[in-house]
Amino acid sequence: MTAEPVPQDAVPGPRSRSERTADSRLLILDAAVACLVEEGYAGASTLAVQARAGVSRGRLLHHFPSRAELLVAAAEHLATTQLEEVRRRAASLMDDGPTGRERVDRAIDLMWTTFQEPPFWAAMELWTAARTDPALRAALRGEERRLRAAIAAVAHGIWGAEIAGAPLYTDLTELLFTSMRGVALVYAFEDRPAATDPHLALWKRLAVRMLALDAPEGRLWP
């Protein structure tokens, strides 16, 4: 019995140079993310990343000439991937079209969970190190602006167009973001469930007031 010939279009052709380059870059970024999240900034040396990625020194330096560029790119890679995951979770969470307080409560719960996840802790490692590392600080500045814009776009989808159109929406989300970031730092050394943090109720009450959800006739704002 002879085997049937494999169709020509089913046989993968040789990978292009650009594909090989993209693959090695992704290997390096994944390795840097793992080092940063598991070992912190101190443990995320270029040698550690190189060893974990299984690439040559020359290949790593070709993609990322400095440690600062490497780790900032790794944090951006992690955050971008996580933002897509948050977008999917939000779509599922809001699938039944909640409005008013119910939507606000769900949005705040989801927003808070993101401050317990790897991208936040990776960012904390970099921000802390940037205080005394001018090269890292310079590399972070531009990326932070881009990332905040991406976060804002995802947040808009979580809250929904109606709430996002409220006059104090921008003020509210900025206040929530900075407050959650500060509260989340406590969980670096405290072992307690973040889902029961007393600030959650406070944030929800604040949102109700700022969005005027108690306004007459069910309006979201005066």
Side-chain angles (χ1 to χ4, degrees):
M1 182 175 177
T2 59
E4 294 184 4
V6 178
Q8 187 66 31
D9 59 0
V11 179
R15 294 163 69 247
S16 68
R17 181 176 180 179
S18 62
E19 288 174 328
R20 293 195 301 273
T21 297
D23 284 350
S24 63
R25 188 177 192 276
L26 186 58
L27 272 176
I28 293 168
L29 286 176
D30 285 342
V33 164
C35 287
L36 193 58
V37 172
E38 295 172 17
E39 308 296 335
Y41 179 78
S45 67
T46 54
L47 288 175
V49 172
Q50 177 191 336
R52 189 182 283 253
V55 299
S56 68
R57 185 70 174 172
R59 176 62 65 183
L60 185 146
L61 293 176
H62 169 74
H63 288 292
F64 305 103
S66 73
R67 184 189 186 208
E69 291 176 86
L70 168 62
L71 295 184
V72 170
E76 183 272 338
H77 171 63
L78 177 59
T80 299
T81 302
Q82 191 67 19
L83 280 174
E84 285 304 311
E85 172 61 23
V86 171
R87 198 192 303 273
R88 287 191 292 270
R89 281 154 54 187
S92 175
L93 186 65
M94 304 300 184
D95 185 58
D96 59 344
T99 58
R101 289 191 178 200
E102 179 61 26
R103 189 173 192 104
V104 166
D105 286 354
R106 294 188 197 181
I108 290 175
D109 285 338
L110 178 57
M111 189 176 177
W112 175 232
T113 64
T114 66
F115 286 87
Q116 318 304 319
E117 296 173 343
F120 172 73
W121 294 112
M124 287 301 98
E125 291 287 338
L126 293 180
W127 292 346
T128 301
R131 187 179 71 84
T132 55
D133 186 334
L136 179 58
R137 188 161 61 246
L140 273 174
R141 282 198 184 105
E143 182 52 37
E144 278 296 304
R145 288 192 291 269
R146 190 208 66 78
L147 186 56
R148 284 299 296 272
I151 291 172
V154 172
H156 185 94
I158 294 172
W159 290 92
E162 187 175 14
I163 289 176
L168 294 180
Y169 168 76
T170 301
D171 291 343
L172 171 64
T173 52
E174 178 64 20
L175 189 60
L176 288 174
F177 185 87
T178 54
S179 179
M180 287 182 180
R181 182 170 58 192
V183 173
L185 289 175
V186 174
Y187 290 86
F189 55 85
E190 282 206 13
D191 184 18
R192 55 189 173 94
T196 61
D197 194 289
H199 287 86
L200 268 172
L202 175 60
W203 291 324
K204 290 173 183 179
R205 290 197 303 271
L206 178 66
V208 166
R209 288 196 174 190
M210 291 186 71
L211 296 172
L213 294 181
D214 289 329
E217 302 176 8
R219 290 178 294 171
L220 285 179
W221 53 85

